[in-house]
Amino acid sequence: MPVEFLGIAATHDGSEVTPRSGASFDKDYTLKLARAHEEYGWDRVLFAYSSGSPDPSPAAAYIAARTESLQLLVAHRPNVSYPTFAAKTFATLDRISDGRLAVHFITGGNDHEQGREGDTLGKDERYARTREYISIVKKIWTSHEPFDHEGDHYRFHDFVSDTFPVQQPHPQVSFGGSSPAAYAAGGAEADIYCLWGEPLAQTAEQIGSVRAAAQAAGRRRAPRIQVAFRPILAPTEELAWERAHRTLERIRARKATAPPNRRQGLTNPQNAGSQRLLAAAAEGERHDRALWTPTAAETGGAGNSTALVGTPETVAQALLDYYDLGVDIISARGYDLLDDAIDFGRYVIPLVREEVAKRDAERSEQRAAAQLLG
């Protein structure tokens, strides 16, 4: 199966290691970063969401109008708009981008962050709401006759949209989470299930949980699996590890200057995904071929925070280990956003694609041989 690569559509040049140099939405930088992803072989970029950040949808429209082939993944929290409105917004974006849109639905793992925009539901209730929300959005994308909806979280009558996506039957739906409630919701509704970068054994465990949830929901095909990492590359192993430790020191220095409200949740995160990353970090700094956890420990398991450290060849082989588990979408984001996107695209992506093509060809030959013998 082909492998895909997801980068980040950051709207400014700041990261965990450096403050941004300008506004939170820097048009020139946003476009420069997106075009670098497009030029260097990435498939898609994520427009992330947080309560105070620039709105992902108009940012994605801005990039869609200025790129040719780069696919767009727009993050969205169901608590911020009604599903009838969201479905039209995303259908319009898919039209603007000529069918390059996917939507990542975020349930929210932190009560404090959710409360910043008025969301007071508990976590399991939020997952149930997200499941209902996604099902409504998909129905709006595909229904040409008015319909009513009477659910636990949403009620409306006689709605039909006049704005439909280019993609049929609809844009891909992306979803993430590491709790039983998350597996149930995403296993039932997602086309892509997103995980953070854990050791191989734990990743295999999560993939099994997602597939079991999809089967329990009556689906014939389970969601595709995406896993996220922070690559730290250098020409030699020694230089890569030196760079990794410098990166960790930069994270610590940046965190020390952050305002107190930005340090909340770094030691006792509420969401299961961050708890799993911290558990992996507690078990040891290095796992498998190249996985390094101190970056996750230092940030409280905040989102995509475990690193893959090494030469491009080492990191490519580490990614292939995950591919062999059933992962076919790799999310990667360096700490120096633009330079790392270029280096990863130039040196790692071609290695992984070449080896995946070889493995797929070998498997096709084996299947053909087995059919002849049968």
Side-chain angles (χ1 to χ4, degrees):
M1 56 185 173
V3 65
E4 296 181 9
F5 290 92
L6 170 70
I8 188 70
T11 59
H12 58 77
D13 59 358
S15 75
E16 296 93 333
V17 300
T18 184
R20 70 175 191 247
S21 61
S24 63
F25 184 63
D26 180 333
K27 287 180 16 177
D28 293 339
Y29 183 84
T30 301
L31 181 56
K32 185 177 182 180
L33 182 61
R35 284 179 170 166
H37 282 88
E38 186 171 52
E39 179 179 354
Y40 287 95
W42 297 77
D43 297 284
R44 182 179 286 123
V45 288
L46 167 66
F47 294 81
Y49 189 96
S50 68
S51 58
S53 63
D55 187 351
S57 291
Y62 172 71
I63 294 302
R66 291 161 177 81
T67 55
E68 298 295 329
S69 60
L70 188 66
Q71 297 177 61
L72 316 169
L73 178 60
V74 173
H76 179 71
R77 284 184 184 164
N79 60 291
V80 299
S81 70
Y82 218 69
T84 51
F85 176 83
K88 294 183 296 180
T89 298
F90 299 137
T92 304
L93 272 173
D94 200 48
R95 288 279 158 187
I96 291 171
S97 66
D98 294 321
R100 288 185 278 148
L101 180 74
V103 184
H104 180 63
F105 289 91
I106 302 174
T107 298
N110 181 285
D111 291 346
H112 181 77
E113 167 66 7
Q114 294 299 121
R116 284 173 168 149
E117 294 187 286
D119 189 3
T120 59
L121 293 183
K123 187 176 72 171
D124 285 355
E125 278 188 287
R126 291 200 296 267
Y127 277 115
R129 178 183 62 191
T130 301
R131 183 171 180 173
E132 183 180 343
Y133 194 99
I134 295 172
S135 69
I136 293 169
V137 168
K138 289 197 291 190
K139 187 171 183 179
I140 292 169
W141 281 339
T142 56
S143 297
H144 293 264
E145 298 295 332
F147 67 94
D148 300 338
H149 180 83
E150 293 282 348
D152 293 332
H153 298 279
Y154 302 101
R155 295 174 178 82
F156 55 85
H157 302 95
D158 198 39
F159 181 83
V160 63
S161 177
D162 192 33
T163 306
F164 295 93
V166 172
Q167 298 175 79
Q168 296 298 317
H170 55 71
Q172 292 187 88
V173 168
S174 172
F175 181 92
S178 297
S179 66
Y183 299 141
E189 296 292 347
D191 301 302
I192 298 168
Y193 202 101
C194 306
L195 304 172
W196 290 333
E198 296 185 28
L200 290 165
Q202 286 88 332
T203 300
E205 171 191 284
Q206 289 220 74
I207 292 172
S209 296
V210 172
R211 289 174 175 170
Q215 185 176 23
R219 298 182 65 178
R220 296 175 60 187
R221 177 177 293 183
R224 299 168 65 200
I225 302 296
Q226 172 184 305
V227 178
F229 303 99
R230 307 299 293 270
I232 301 176
L233 305 174
T236 69
E237 295 295 322
E238 181 180 5
L239 290 173
W241 285 104
E242 287 178 4
R243 186 182 180 199
H245 288 288
R246 287 198 307 272
T247 298
L248 185 61
E249 290 306 314
R250 292 172 70 192
I251 292 172
R252 288 170 176 161
R254 176 93 171 100
K255 188 174 73 171
T257 63
N261 67 322
R262 296 298 181 190
R263 303 178 203 170
Q264 295 178 8
L266 293 182
T267 55
N268 296 298
Q270 292 180 310
N271 60 306
S274 292
Q275 292 168 6
R276 291 178 66 99
L277 293 186
L278 292 181
E283 291 174 4
E285 290 191 356
R286 296 177 66 167
H287 298 262
D288 305 319
R289 194 186 299 267
L291 189 70
W292 194 53
T293 62
T295 47
E298 195 63 38
T299 58
N304 177 10
S305 56
T306 48
L308 289 178
V309 181
T311 64
E313 293 77 12
T314 295
V315 171
Q317 288 299 318
L319 293 173
L320 289 163
D321 292 338
Y322 287 89
Y323 176 81
D324 290 338
L325 291 181
V327 175
D328 68 341
I329 303 175
I330 303 298
S331 173
R333 171 166 54 103
Y335 289 97
D336 297 298
L337 298 175
L338 180 60
D339 290 344
D340 287 345
I342 292 171
D343 286 346
F344 189 88
R346 178 181 285 159
Y347 300 117
V348 178
I349 288 177
L351 293 175
V352 177
R353 290 198 195 282
E354 181 180 6
E355 185 58 34
V356 166
K358 289 179 182 177
R359 294 183 186 197
D360 287 351
E362 290 171 359
R363 289 168 183 165
S364 295
E365 292 174 2
Q366 292 169 358
R367 284 194 295 269
Q371 289 173 354
L372 287 174
L373 291 173

